[in-house]
Amino acid sequence: MPTEEPTARRVTTLELFFDLVFVFTLTQLTVLLAHDLTFRTAGRVLLIFIVLFWMYGSYAYLTNQVPPETNARRLPLVLGMSGFLICALAIPRAFHGGGVAFGLGFLLVVLVHSSLYALFHGLSVLSFATPNVAAAVLITVAGAYDGHTAEAMWLVAIAVQNLSPILASRITGKDADSRSLVSARVGGLDPGHFVERHGLLLIVAFGESVIAIGVGTGNLHLDLSLYGAVLLSLALATALWWTYFLRDEALAEAALHRVSGRGRFRLTMAAYYYCFVPMLLGVAVLAAGVKKSIGHLPEHLPAGPAVALAGGIALFLAGNVAFRAVLHIRPLGFRAAATAAVLATIPLGTGVSALVQLCALVVVLVAMLTAEARWGYCTQAEGESA
């Protein structure tokens, strides 16, 4: 049964409020990473964010199809926000005694989501609520353990989450029509609202990263060196904003409008979950690197901050290249080359100074955007006209 395109609408202020609360989790991940810039901590940050962003995406689908237009919907959404806030507060100790609190907050997030989605899907909500609840229970139980055991349970929970689109077609099992109805409805989301929602999330993430950098300067002497570091950091955030918002958002919406049903669902999953994970994590990692280097501009950097500075930008660019590839947005080559170029700045940080590495990163991004504007779009236009 074909589905009608939903009426285009804007993101509500409550949804934006929800995003502000969710992005606090990114701030907490930045703090966690800045406190201990090691590969193990980075791995744990990745586990936490993948779990949380899965449910953020689930809420984005939810409010796209069940708009918070009545108090009966708004109040549960605020309860879901409370669950995300509990998770965010527990992040610094998620693997050190605070895992149960994190898990219970996450379970609240999942239960509220499932209850609200039942307004749209009825009992068919069990097809995706069951894996989500199972993942939340696993994470809660993992809170009682330490070390590799807890990490292994988190990995299993992530596997359950990512298998849920497949499991969803089997759990409600007996009625094929009900399964196809669920797929058609989820695939019938409003592209304009969905793209705008994720764009606003990215903007808030940029803002929170700048705030985190500002807070990190609180105990430092305000001199020209510090102001220079702050301005260079702002230049990096601005260049990343330019990378996505100049063209990608509008072209992504057009790409989603060209497909419908399951095809649209798969495309949104690929672009706005799998590709957005490295983009958002890149913002957090970059902020951690800046916080660790901002007071040491003339000095050689330890490997951790130098890798975080370059690695955060490389993560963002790699995610953006994948995002463009999935949605058939061109060109890709300039951004792929810049991904490698920013990683090449790591020796500048460790061998020369933080100032030189920050300047080099700004130069790479500006060169990428300039070259793309000068040659990339011209080549694309010529190819389309031919």
Side-chain angles (χ1 to χ4, degrees):
M1 175 177 170
T3 58
E4 295 181 0
E5 287 284 336
T7 303
R9 62 182 185 84
R10 302 296 300 274
V11 173
T12 65
T13 53
L14 181 57
E15 290 170 283
L16 182 56
F17 187 19
F18 185 98
D19 292 353
L20 286 166
V21 173
F22 173 76
V23 170
F24 180 52
T25 64
L26 266 182
T27 304
Q28 289 288 79
L29 291 173
T30 297
V31 171
L32 178 62
L33 192 57
H35 179 71
D36 182 28
L37 271 173
T38 62
F39 284 113
R40 186 168 194 184
T41 300
R44 288 177 169 180
V45 164
L46 180 62
L47 291 176
I48 293 169
F49 185 70
I50 287 176
V51 162
L52 290 176
F53 191 58
W54 177 269
M55 284 311 301
Y56 171 84
S58 299
Y59 272 85
Y61 281 103
L62 167 69
T63 56
N64 188 281
Q65 299 186 309
V66 187
E69 296 172 342
T70 65
N71 288 338
R73 297 178 184 180
R74 293 181 187 120
L75 292 175
L77 197 60
V78 172
L79 189 60
M81 290 164 55
S82 303
F84 272 119
L85 184 59
I86 292 169
C87 291
L89 292 172
I91 279 174
R93 299 189 60 79
F95 289 91
H96 301 285
V100 173
F102 181 99
L104 291 174
F106 189 66
L107 185 59
L108 176 61
V109 168
V110 171
L111 291 175
V112 170
H113 173 266
S114 301
S115 300
L116 279 171
Y117 233 140
L119 298 174
F120 192 66
H121 287 303
L123 290 178
S124 296
V125 72
L126 295 174
S127 64
F128 47 85
T130 303
N132 286 339
V133 170
V137 170
L138 273 169
I139 290 166
T140 305
V141 173
Y145 297 88
D146 294 317
H148 296 307
T149 301
E151 292 161 356
M153 295 180 77
W154 276 71
L155 284 171
V156 173
I158 289 171
V160 170
Q161 283 182 330
N162 282 269
L163 286 172
S164 63
I166 299 171
L167 297 174
S169 65
R170 304 182 186 280
I171 293 175
T172 47
K174 297 179 181 179
D175 186 356
D177 290 335
S178 69
R179 295 199 305 273
S180 63
L181 181 60
V182 169
S183 298
R185 283 179 169 174
V186 173
L189 60 84
D190 175 3
H193 173 272
F194 196 78
V195 171
E196 182 187 14
R197 180 77 186 273
H198 284 80
L200 289 172
L201 174 68
L202 192 53
I203 281 286
V204 175
F206 284 141
E208 286 290 326
S209 70
V210 172
I211 290 171
I213 292 165
V215 170
T217 66
N219 297 323
L220 301 175
H221 177 64
L222 294 176
D223 54 20
L224 287 177
S225 175
L226 183 61
Y227 283 121
V230 169
L231 291 177
L232 285 170
S233 303
L234 181 60
L236 290 175
T238 302
L240 295 183
W241 167 86
W242 204 295
T243 298
Y244 177 79
F245 285 99
L246 188 64
R247 295 180 78 246
D248 288 15
E249 192 173 40
L251 293 174
E253 182 178 342
L256 293 181
H257 273 295
R258 288 194 292 269
V259 294
S260 61
R262 292 186 180 185
R264 183 178 292 175
F265 172 69
R266 293 191 190 101
L267 201 57
T268 54
M269 278 289 296
Y272 285 99
Y273 177 68
Y274 296 111
C275 298
F276 245 60
V277 164
M279 289 173 66
L280 287 165
L281 270 180
V283 175
V285 172
L286 174 62
V290 171
K291 285 185 71 174
K292 296 295 287 186
S293 60
I294 201 166
H296 309 280
L297 222 56
E299 304 171 16
H300 293 195
L301 285 176
V307 170
L309 284 174
I313 296 175
L315 270 174
F316 184 93
L317 291 177
N320 183 250
V321 169
F323 177 87
R324 285 187 147 213
V326 164
L327 295 171
H328 303 291
I329 300 172
R330 298 294 185 269
L332 301 176
F334 296 103
R335 300 184 183 204
T339 303
V342 296
L343 292 174
T345 68
I346 293 172
L348 295 177
T350 56
V352 185
S353 70
L355 173 62
V356 172
Q357 186 180 8
L358 283 170
C359 289
L361 289 169
V362 171
V363 168
V364 169
L365 291 178
V366 170
M368 175 195 79
L369 293 170
T370 303
E372 193 171 81
R374 175 65 180 84
W375 295 292
Y377 302 146
C378 294
T379 303
Q380 182 188 28
E382 290 170 3
E384 289 173 352
S385 63

